[in-house]
Amino acid sequence: NQRSSVWTGAAVLYSRGDQFRQRCAWALAQLLTVVPDNIEAFTMTESYVSYYDIFVRHAFGNYREILRQVSYSPLMAEHLSYLNS
């Protein structure tokens, strides 16, 4: 599962100096989720990494900006699409 490997890898990679930021990003990622079954890019790791980076960049920022970035991300666009449903 690409999603879990990205989350685990990012937590290990980024956890050296900013563990609190990673915990906040993980919590935000649990609130604004995408379902892998709804996404055709299931095996594309880059999509999940860029989606998770939104939470890492804005972990201490404005929630409105997080929602804006998430709503414009290709992963969320595909998740919310009515195509193939």
Side-chain angles (χ1 to χ4, degrees):
N1 186 343
Q2 293 292 49
R3 180 176 176 237
S4 63
S5 67
V6 165
W7 268 240
T8 305
V12 170
L13 181 65
Y14 295 128
S15 66
R16 299 195 179 185
D18 57 352
Q19 185 177 13
F20 185 64
R21 176 181 295 273
Q22 286 302 314
R23 289 177 184 252
C24 290
W26 183 83
L28 289 167
Q30 299 306 307
L31 292 173
L32 302 167
T33 61
V34 291
V35 179
D37 295 339
N38 295 345
I39 300 169
E40 291 181 16
F42 182 70
T43 59
M44 297 175 60
T45 306
E46 186 175 339
S47 302
Y48 290 101
V49 170
S50 65
Y51 186 73
Y52 187 71
D53 281 344
I54 293 170
F55 304 121
V56 172
R57 280 193 310 269
H58 300 292
F60 304 131
N62 188 352
Y63 190 68
R64 184 176 187 165
E65 184 62 29
I66 293 170
L67 289 178
R68 181 186 321 249
Q69 294 290 319
V70 165
S71 64
Y72 289 134
S73 76
L75 200 63
M76 184 59 79
E78 189 172 343
H79 173 69
L80 296 176
S81 176
Y82 62 88
L83 298 173
N84 298 326
S85 63

